[in-house]
Amino acid sequence: MSVLDSKVPGGPIEKKWSAHKNNIRLVNPANKRNIDVIVVGTGLAGGSAAASMAELGYNVKAFCFQDSPRRAHSIAAQGGINAAKNYQGDGDSIYRLFYDTVKGGDYRAREANVYRLAEVSVNIIDQCVAQGVPFARDYGGLLDNRSFGGAQVSRTFYAKGQTGQQLLLGAYSAMSRQIGKGKIKMYNRHEMLELVLVDGKARGIIARNLVSGKLERFSGHAVVIASGGYGNVFFLSTNAMGSNATAAWRIHKKGAYFANPCFTQIHPTCIPVSGDHQSKLTLMSESLRNDGRIWVPKNMEDVEAIRKGTKKPVDIPAEDRDYYLERRYPAFGNLVPRDVASRAAKERCDAGYGVNATGEAVFLDFASAIERYGNEQATMAGMANASREKILEMGREVVKAKYGNLFQMYYKITDDDPYFTPMKIYPAVHYTMGGIWVDYNLMTTVPGCYAIGEANFSDHGANRLGASALMQGLADGYFVLPYTIADYLADDIRTGAISTETAEFDEAEKAVKDRITSLMSIGGSKSVDHFHKRLGKVMWDKVGMARNEQGLKEAITEIKAIREEFYKDLRIPGAMEEFNPELDKANRVADFLELGELMAMDALTRSESCGGHFREESQTEEGEAKRNDKEFTYVSAWEYTGNVSEPKLHKESLEFENIKLVERNYK
Amino acid sequence: MKLTLKIWRQKGPNDKGQMATYPIDGIDGDMSFLEMLDVLNEQLIHKGEEPVAFDHDCREGICGMCSLFINGEAHGPDRGVTTCQLHMRKFDDGDTIYIEPWRAKAFPVIKDLVVDRTAFDRVMAAGGFVSVNTSGNTQDANAIPIAKADADKAFEAATCIGCGACVATCKNSSAMLFVSAKVSQLALLPQGQVEARDRVLNMVKKMDEEGFGNCTNTGACEVECPKEISLDNIARMNREFMKAALCHED
């Protein structure tokens, strides 16, 4: 596999990144002014990369499909961002963050990348504070931390339940400063629909202006894809409505390998589906598991009584509750990693203990935390005889200060007040660990084309730990790509501006135009959402939390059939050259219909269970995921061959020199 | 439930636009307002008509993309929520609901209920930042302790989602709540002090150039703000502005 050179530098793991930075080439400031870089997506990865590269002197062209770069879906991340600062003095270190992340990913990530991530995590916090990001602080004025799943230290920095918002607004501010200086040219309401290759190198994109509907050409010396994950293949997910895989899929079809597409994360704590009208799912942050306890009733009579509404959850005494995570995983309890918590919820609900009408919900209960905090407050205030009501009231205030916005969101959506009754939650699609294959420099298999943030596959293996997505997005954008890209661009200091009036751009634009014209001219009878929902159902049922050979084979057949029907019976109202949200969706769903098939194929090839990928055929007697290191310690990287149903599998084998592969154990 | 929708339809920036009436049935109280519009659009597409264009993305109240002036109120009748978090249980069977775009000179209509809010981006580019480059060698994050009360106030100001409800609500189409939230956030933190004067002067200047109106302290913006950004921020910005204008050496 000569093409899959990970380019991981030699030397001891803790020296690799600094040595690499010292050895790669630089571009001097005068030359940077002659180099254009295209960045697609303005979330934490794209926004921070665009700002940092513009500060360094490159001319950046940034693209987002939303009406402002500030709206990218990183904004919705709630709980926090990890960093190995060890401010709590609880024994954290770069090595521990590295170790937890590799273990959390079930040993399917590249060691060197993860170590670098842990290493630069400390810089991220410093950088964000310098930008004026208002992280939570304690009464001494220092930064506060909390715990997240899969870790036994408190290393998560946060800003209430709005950490992603605050970090993204920090990156957006940094971008705004460069936009004001003219170093970033911002293209809002633009969607990238094609990558342009010149002599085999990424040299530009074709984007559709979503307001005028017109196709536009943009050139650059490098193209950076920071367009996020592909969770919306499932239709229902915690992703934004517009989140899509089109940019990633377009570069895949131009030669970028797609890695580990079956590694998707199902988040354990989301608000359950309420009906067929549902358009998206809402996450309740993992940070809630610091204080919330997850349970279902022990007895079936209680389950039925709750469903009927004859009993309330608070009526069920502690001894009749099954705190199944605490029971099964005493060492980590409610803070087991996401994949483990999700499967445990599914196990209870499959066994019939689900607590809502659909049987797909468990309780996340704050009563003990409210009481604990209330007692703490009473002690601090010297109120020895405080009434129980007073104690609970004070406890609720503490919980409100920590999670107020999440509780309000839950209340608005469900009409249930979680200060007084437990939340109902169920797992939902949240994140995709898989993505575009990149080397240590974050370059894809297409020269000059990079992928950063959730769009790439690099750091989370088969399961991402909570509060690590924000860390990776900002690490890639602020501290990795701006340096590694210079090594490539050093060859372009004499290239000069790249013309968009060339045969390559003509051809790429024509390809997009033909594609859209054929979609518009189908003139069928069904809307885009109709097909998207059907695809989502197949994906959730057969390529979701548990997968097996038969189901995956069926999924592949069914996805193909839906795709065929899509191209026969789709109806898009309006015209191409106008503001047309239905056409925007059609372009995205057309790509999901191909990517979904690849996800199922990848899941079929990987007959082991690891992280978020659970193959029913491969489990222990206790129902835990069973890895097969002998056969599957590799990254699957799929090459597009001209036929979406016949991709070619390449394998990057993973070497573990610093961490011993053992069974992942949270007991 | 059964509802009558009166929706603003406008083909493009140069079209005059008008209200159109759509009856709709089978709406469930658990649906969000935007899911109700999804149902309408699905029906329109089925009938071969143009669906209603509206902005939306995260649908969890944080991206600031959704807008809509519902029965004369930005983000509708509920408090502390965006339109995507407004649920149909707030309405009654048989209600007539008026749905309009944000109306402000600085926010021209693009199509139907979609408006152009890039004026906000331009105000941000005029000064809504701390001038610090990405370097990897900024001082340690805990080097400057910040009083919790100040950090909390800065955070509250920083929760603004830039949706524009304040502008749409204000009888003068003033953007003071939006601008003051960013000015306040950075003025309250030591990191933002160095450029505090230039920041407030530049952002206010840009705000005026973009065609937003003046603030007359009515306070409607605070009431309708989905993130409940406080009017105190406007007072703080006025103070910052006075301070800067008096001391500015030009």
Side-chain angles (χ1 to χ4, degrees), chain A residues 480-521:
Chain A
V480 180
L481 179 80
Y483 303 108
T484 57
I485 202 169
D487 194 46
Y488 173 82
L489 292 172
D491 286 331
D492 270 319
I493 54 175
R494 286 189 197 85
T495 307
I498 292 165
S499 168
T500 54
E501 297 307 315
T502 60
E504 289 90 347
F505 275 91
D506 289 348
E507 220 171 273
E509 185 180 321
K510 184 174 178 300
V512 177
K513 200 166 191 166
D514 290 349
R515 219 160 59 222
I516 294 179
T517 312
S518 75
L519 283 175
M520 295 296 298
S521 60

Short mmCIF file of all heavy atoms in Angstrom, two decimals, chain A residues 480-521:
data_model
loop_
_atom_site.label_atom_id
_atom_site.label_comp_id
_atom_site.label_asym_id
_atom_site.label_seq_id
_atom_site.Cartn_x
_atom_site.Cartn_y
_atom_site.Cartn_z
N VAL A 480 -2.08 22.78 14.14
CA VAL A 480 -1.44 21.76 13.30
C VAL A 480 -1.39 22.20 11.84
O VAL A 480 -0.32 22.44 11.28
CB VAL A 480 -2.14 20.39 13.45
CG1 VAL A 480 -1.44 19.36 12.57
CG2 VAL A 480 -2.13 19.93 14.90
N LEU A 481 -2.57 22.34 11.24
CA LEU A 481 -2.61 22.63 9.80
C LEU A 481 -1.81 23.88 9.39
O LEU A 481 -1.08 23.83 8.40
CB LEU A 481 -4.06 22.75 9.33
CG LEU A 481 -4.17 23.08 7.84
CD1 LEU A 481 -3.97 21.81 7.01
CD2 LEU A 481 -5.49 23.73 7.50
N PRO A 482 -1.92 24.99 10.13
CA PRO A 482 -1.20 26.19 9.68
C PRO A 482 0.29 25.95 9.51
O PRO A 482 0.95 26.63 8.72
CB PRO A 482 -1.47 27.22 10.77
CG PRO A 482 -2.77 26.78 11.38
CD PRO A 482 -2.74 25.29 11.32
N TYR A 483 0.85 24.97 10.25
CA TYR A 483 2.28 24.67 10.10
C TYR A 483 2.51 23.65 9.00
O TYR A 483 3.37 23.81 8.15
CB TYR A 483 2.85 24.15 11.42
CG TYR A 483 2.64 25.15 12.54
CD1 TYR A 483 1.73 24.91 13.55
CD2 TYR A 483 3.34 26.36 12.54
CE1 TYR A 483 1.51 25.84 14.55
CE2 TYR A 483 3.12 27.30 13.54
CZ TYR A 483 2.20 27.03 14.54
OH TYR A 483 1.98 27.95 15.51
N THR A 484 1.72 22.54 9.06
CA THR A 484 2.01 21.46 8.11
C THR A 484 1.72 21.86 6.67
O THR A 484 2.37 21.37 5.75
CB THR A 484 1.19 20.19 8.45
OG1 THR A 484 -0.20 20.51 8.45
CG2 THR A 484 1.57 19.64 9.82
N ILE A 485 0.79 22.78 6.48
CA ILE A 485 0.42 23.15 5.11
C ILE A 485 1.58 23.89 4.43
O ILE A 485 1.73 23.83 3.21
CB ILE A 485 -0.89 23.99 5.09
CG1 ILE A 485 -1.56 23.90 3.71
CG2 ILE A 485 -0.64 25.44 5.50
CD1 ILE A 485 -2.98 24.45 3.68
N ALA A 486 2.43 24.54 5.23
CA ALA A 486 3.55 25.28 4.66
C ALA A 486 4.51 24.34 3.92
O ALA A 486 5.10 24.70 2.90
CB ALA A 486 4.30 26.03 5.76
N ASP A 487 4.66 23.14 4.46
CA ASP A 487 5.56 22.17 3.86
C ASP A 487 5.17 21.88 2.41
O ASP A 487 6.00 21.69 1.54
CB ASP A 487 5.55 20.89 4.70
CG ASP A 487 6.71 19.97 4.34
OD1 ASP A 487 7.84 20.48 4.23
OD2 ASP A 487 6.47 18.76 4.18
N TYR A 488 3.87 21.87 2.17
CA TYR A 488 3.37 21.65 0.81
C TYR A 488 3.44 22.94 -0.01
O TYR A 488 3.88 22.94 -1.17
CB TYR A 488 1.93 21.13 0.87
CG TYR A 488 1.25 21.03 -0.47
CD1 TYR A 488 1.46 19.93 -1.29
CD2 TYR A 488 0.41 22.05 -0.93
CE1 TYR A 488 0.85 19.85 -2.54
CE2 TYR A 488 -0.21 21.97 -2.17
CZ TYR A 488 0.01 20.86 -2.97
OH TYR A 488 -0.59 20.79 -4.19
N LEU A 489 3.03 24.04 0.60
CA LEU A 489 2.93 25.30 -0.14
C LEU A 489 4.31 25.87 -0.49
O LEU A 489 4.43 26.74 -1.37
CB LEU A 489 2.11 26.32 0.63
CG LEU A 489 0.61 25.96 0.74
CD1 LEU A 489 -0.10 26.91 1.69
CD2 LEU A 489 -0.06 25.98 -0.63
N ALA A 490 5.35 25.37 0.19
CA ALA A 490 6.70 25.85 -0.11
C ALA A 490 7.06 25.64 -1.58
O ALA A 490 7.87 26.38 -2.14
CB ALA A 490 7.70 25.14 0.80
N ASP A 491 6.41 24.66 -2.22
CA ASP A 491 6.67 24.44 -3.65
C ASP A 491 5.90 25.40 -4.54
O ASP A 491 6.07 25.40 -5.76
CB ASP A 491 6.25 23.00 -4.04
CG ASP A 491 7.23 21.98 -3.52
OD1 ASP A 491 8.42 22.33 -3.38
OD2 ASP A 491 6.80 20.84 -3.23
N ASP A 492 5.02 26.19 -3.93
CA ASP A 492 4.13 27.02 -4.75
C ASP A 492 4.49 28.50 -4.72
O ASP A 492 3.72 29.33 -5.17
CB ASP A 492 2.68 26.84 -4.28
CG ASP A 492 1.99 25.71 -5.03
OD1 ASP A 492 2.21 25.61 -6.25
OD2 ASP A 492 1.27 24.92 -4.40
N ILE A 493 5.66 28.82 -4.17
CA ILE A 493 5.95 30.25 -4.03
C ILE A 493 6.16 30.94 -5.38
O ILE A 493 6.03 32.14 -5.50
CB ILE A 493 7.16 30.50 -3.10
CG1 ILE A 493 8.38 29.71 -3.57
CG2 ILE A 493 6.83 30.13 -1.66
CD1 ILE A 493 9.63 30.01 -2.75
N ARG A 494 6.43 30.15 -6.41
CA ARG A 494 6.61 30.78 -7.73
C ARG A 494 5.43 30.52 -8.67
O ARG A 494 5.44 30.93 -9.81
CB ARG A 494 7.90 30.24 -8.39
CG ARG A 494 9.14 30.80 -7.76
CD ARG A 494 10.38 30.43 -8.58
NE ARG A 494 11.55 30.63 -7.74
CZ ARG A 494 12.02 29.72 -6.89
NH1 ARG A 494 11.45 28.54 -6.80
NH2 ARG A 494 13.08 29.97 -6.15
N THR A 495 4.42 29.82 -8.17
CA THR A 495 3.31 29.42 -9.05
C THR A 495 2.50 30.61 -9.54
O THR A 495 2.05 30.65 -10.68
CB THR A 495 2.38 28.44 -8.31
OG1 THR A 495 3.18 27.39 -7.80
CG2 THR A 495 1.31 27.88 -9.23
N GLY A 496 2.32 31.60 -8.67
CA GLY A 496 1.49 32.75 -9.05
C GLY A 496 0.02 32.41 -8.94
O GLY A 496 -0.36 31.27 -8.64
N ALA A 497 -0.81 33.41 -9.22
CA ALA A 497 -2.26 33.21 -9.11
C ALA A 497 -2.72 32.11 -10.06
O ALA A 497 -2.20 31.99 -11.17
CB ALA A 497 -2.98 34.51 -9.40
N ILE A 498 -3.70 31.35 -9.63
CA ILE A 498 -4.21 30.27 -10.48
C ILE A 498 -5.46 30.73 -11.19
O ILE A 498 -6.42 31.20 -10.56
CB ILE A 498 -4.48 29.02 -9.62
CG1 ILE A 498 -3.13 28.49 -9.11
CG2 ILE A 498 -5.22 27.95 -10.39
CD1 ILE A 498 -3.24 27.52 -7.99
N SER A 499 -5.44 30.60 -12.49
CA SER A 499 -6.58 31.07 -13.29
C SER A 499 -7.76 30.11 -13.16
O SER A 499 -7.57 28.90 -13.05
CB SER A 499 -6.17 31.17 -14.75
OG SER A 499 -7.32 31.34 -15.56
N THR A 500 -8.97 30.67 -13.19
CA THR A 500 -10.15 29.80 -13.18
C THR A 500 -10.69 29.63 -14.61
O THR A 500 -11.66 28.93 -14.82
CB THR A 500 -11.27 30.38 -12.30
OG1 THR A 500 -11.54 31.71 -12.73
CG2 THR A 500 -10.87 30.40 -10.84
N GLU A 501 -10.02 30.30 -15.57
CA GLU A 501 -10.47 30.18 -16.96
C GLU A 501 -9.66 29.10 -17.67
O GLU A 501 -8.92 29.39 -18.61
CB GLU A 501 -10.33 31.52 -17.68
CG GLU A 501 -11.19 32.63 -17.09
CD GLU A 501 -12.66 32.25 -16.96
OE1 GLU A 501 -13.20 31.67 -17.93
OE2 GLU A 501 -13.24 32.49 -15.89
N THR A 502 -9.75 27.89 -17.19
CA THR A 502 -8.98 26.81 -17.81
C THR A 502 -9.91 25.63 -18.10
O THR A 502 -11.04 25.57 -17.59
CB THR A 502 -7.88 26.30 -16.85
OG1 THR A 502 -8.52 25.82 -15.65
CG2 THR A 502 -6.90 27.39 -16.49
N ALA A 503 -9.41 24.70 -18.86
CA ALA A 503 -10.20 23.52 -19.23
C ALA A 503 -10.64 22.75 -17.99
O ALA A 503 -11.76 22.23 -17.92
CB ALA A 503 -9.38 22.63 -20.16
N GLU A 504 -9.74 22.69 -16.98
CA GLU A 504 -10.07 21.92 -15.77
C GLU A 504 -11.28 22.53 -15.05
O GLU A 504 -12.17 21.81 -14.59
CB GLU A 504 -8.87 21.88 -14.81
CG GLU A 504 -7.72 21.01 -15.27
CD GLU A 504 -6.71 21.78 -16.13
OE1 GLU A 504 -7.02 22.92 -16.56
OE2 GLU A 504 -5.61 21.24 -16.37
N PHE A 505 -11.29 23.86 -14.95
CA PHE A 505 -12.44 24.51 -14.30
C PHE A 505 -13.70 24.38 -15.16
O PHE A 505 -14.79 24.17 -14.64
CB PHE A 505 -12.12 25.99 -14.00
CG PHE A 505 -11.39 26.20 -12.70
CD1 PHE A 505 -10.01 26.22 -12.67
CD2 PHE A 505 -12.08 26.36 -11.51
CE1 PHE A 505 -9.32 26.39 -11.46
CE2 PHE A 505 -11.41 26.54 -10.30
CZ PHE A 505 -10.03 26.56 -10.27
N ASP A 506 -13.53 24.52 -16.47
CA ASP A 506 -14.68 24.35 -17.39
C ASP A 506 -15.34 22.99 -17.16
O ASP A 506 -16.55 22.88 -17.02
CB ASP A 506 -14.23 24.40 -18.86
CG ASP A 506 -13.80 25.80 -19.29
OD1 ASP A 506 -14.08 26.75 -18.52
OD2 ASP A 506 -13.18 25.92 -20.36
N GLU A 507 -14.47 21.99 -17.14
CA GLU A 507 -14.95 20.62 -17.03
C GLU A 507 -15.67 20.38 -15.70
O GLU A 507 -16.74 19.78 -15.64
CB GLU A 507 -13.74 19.70 -17.10
CG GLU A 507 -13.95 18.44 -17.90
CD GLU A 507 -12.61 17.74 -18.05
OE1 GLU A 507 -11.87 18.08 -19.02
OE2 GLU A 507 -12.29 16.92 -17.18
N ALA A 508 -15.03 20.88 -14.61
CA ALA A 508 -15.61 20.66 -13.28
C ALA A 508 -16.96 21.37 -13.18
O ALA A 508 -17.94 20.82 -12.65
CB ALA A 508 -14.66 21.18 -12.20
N GLU A 509 -17.02 22.58 -13.71
CA GLU A 509 -18.28 23.32 -13.63
C GLU A 509 -19.36 22.62 -14.45
O GLU A 509 -20.52 22.51 -14.02
CB GLU A 509 -18.11 24.76 -14.12
CG GLU A 509 -19.39 25.56 -13.92
CD GLU A 509 -19.31 27.01 -14.39
OE1 GLU A 509 -18.26 27.64 -14.18
OE2 GLU A 509 -20.30 27.49 -14.96
N LYS A 510 -18.96 22.10 -15.60
CA LYS A 510 -19.94 21.41 -16.44
C LYS A 510 -20.46 20.15 -15.74
O LYS A 510 -21.66 19.85 -15.78
CB LYS A 510 -19.30 21.04 -17.78
CG LYS A 510 -20.30 20.41 -18.74
CD LYS A 510 -19.70 20.18 -20.12
CE LYS A 510 -20.72 19.50 -21.04
NZ LYS A 510 -21.19 18.20 -20.55
N ALA A 511 -19.57 19.46 -15.07
CA ALA A 511 -19.99 18.24 -14.36
C ALA A 511 -21.06 18.57 -13.32
O ALA A 511 -22.06 17.86 -13.19
CB ALA A 511 -18.79 17.57 -13.71
N VAL A 512 -20.84 19.67 -12.60
CA VAL A 512 -21.82 20.05 -11.57
C VAL A 512 -23.14 20.45 -12.22
O VAL A 512 -24.22 20.05 -11.80
CB VAL A 512 -21.29 21.23 -10.72
CG1 VAL A 512 -22.33 21.67 -9.70
CG2 VAL A 512 -20.00 20.85 -10.02
N LYS A 513 -23.02 21.23 -13.27
CA LYS A 513 -24.21 21.70 -13.96
C LYS A 513 -25.03 20.52 -14.48
O LYS A 513 -26.26 20.48 -14.31
CB LYS A 513 -23.81 22.62 -15.12
CG LYS A 513 -24.95 23.49 -15.56
CD LYS A 513 -24.47 24.60 -16.47
CE LYS A 513 -25.63 25.57 -16.63
NZ LYS A 513 -25.22 26.83 -17.19
N ASP A 514 -24.35 19.56 -15.08
CA ASP A 514 -25.05 18.38 -15.61
C ASP A 514 -25.75 17.61 -14.48
O ASP A 514 -26.88 17.15 -14.64
CB ASP A 514 -24.06 17.43 -16.31
CG ASP A 514 -23.54 18.03 -17.62
OD1 ASP A 514 -24.11 19.07 -18.04
OD2 ASP A 514 -22.56 17.50 -18.18
N ARG A 515 -25.04 17.49 -13.36
CA ARG A 515 -25.60 16.76 -12.23
C ARG A 515 -26.88 17.44 -11.74
O ARG A 515 -27.91 16.80 -11.54
CB ARG A 515 -24.57 16.74 -11.11
CG ARG A 515 -24.51 15.46 -10.35
CD ARG A 515 -23.20 15.29 -9.60
NE ARG A 515 -22.90 16.32 -8.64
CZ ARG A 515 -21.70 16.86 -8.47
NH1 ARG A 515 -20.69 16.48 -9.22
NH2 ARG A 515 -21.51 17.79 -7.56
N ILE A 516 -26.80 18.76 -11.59
CA ILE A 516 -27.98 19.48 -11.09
C ILE A 516 -29.12 19.44 -12.10
O ILE A 516 -30.28 19.22 -11.76
CB ILE A 516 -27.62 20.94 -10.74
CG1 ILE A 516 -26.65 20.95 -9.56
CG2 ILE A 516 -28.86 21.75 -10.41
CD1 ILE A 516 -26.19 22.31 -9.12
N THR A 517 -28.75 19.61 -13.38
CA THR A 517 -29.79 19.58 -14.41
C THR A 517 -30.52 18.25 -14.40
O THR A 517 -31.74 18.19 -14.51
CB THR A 517 -29.17 19.82 -15.81
OG1 THR A 517 -28.33 20.95 -15.71
CG2 THR A 517 -30.23 20.06 -16.85
N SER A 518 -29.75 17.17 -14.23
CA SER A 518 -30.43 15.87 -14.26
C SER A 518 -31.34 15.71 -13.03
O SER A 518 -32.42 15.15 -13.13
CB SER A 518 -29.43 14.73 -14.40
OG SER A 518 -28.75 14.50 -13.20
N LEU A 519 -30.90 16.24 -11.88
CA LEU A 519 -31.77 16.17 -10.69
C LEU A 519 -33.05 16.97 -10.90
O LEU A 519 -34.16 16.53 -10.59
CB LEU A 519 -31.05 16.71 -9.46
CG LEU A 519 -30.00 15.83 -8.77
CD1 LEU A 519 -29.31 16.60 -7.65
CD2 LEU A 519 -30.63 14.57 -8.20
N MET A 520 -32.89 18.18 -11.45
CA MET A 520 -34.04 19.07 -11.63
C MET A 520 -35.03 18.51 -12.63
O MET A 520 -36.23 18.80 -12.58
CB MET A 520 -33.60 20.47 -12.11
CG MET A 520 -32.75 21.28 -11.15
SD MET A 520 -33.56 21.75 -9.61
CE MET A 520 -34.90 22.77 -10.17
N SER A 521 -34.50 17.73 -13.59
CA SER A 521 -35.39 17.30 -14.67
C SER A 521 -36.08 15.96 -14.40
O SER A 521 -36.80 15.46 -15.26
CB SER A 521 -34.59 17.24 -15.98
OG SER A 521 -33.55 16.31 -15.82
#
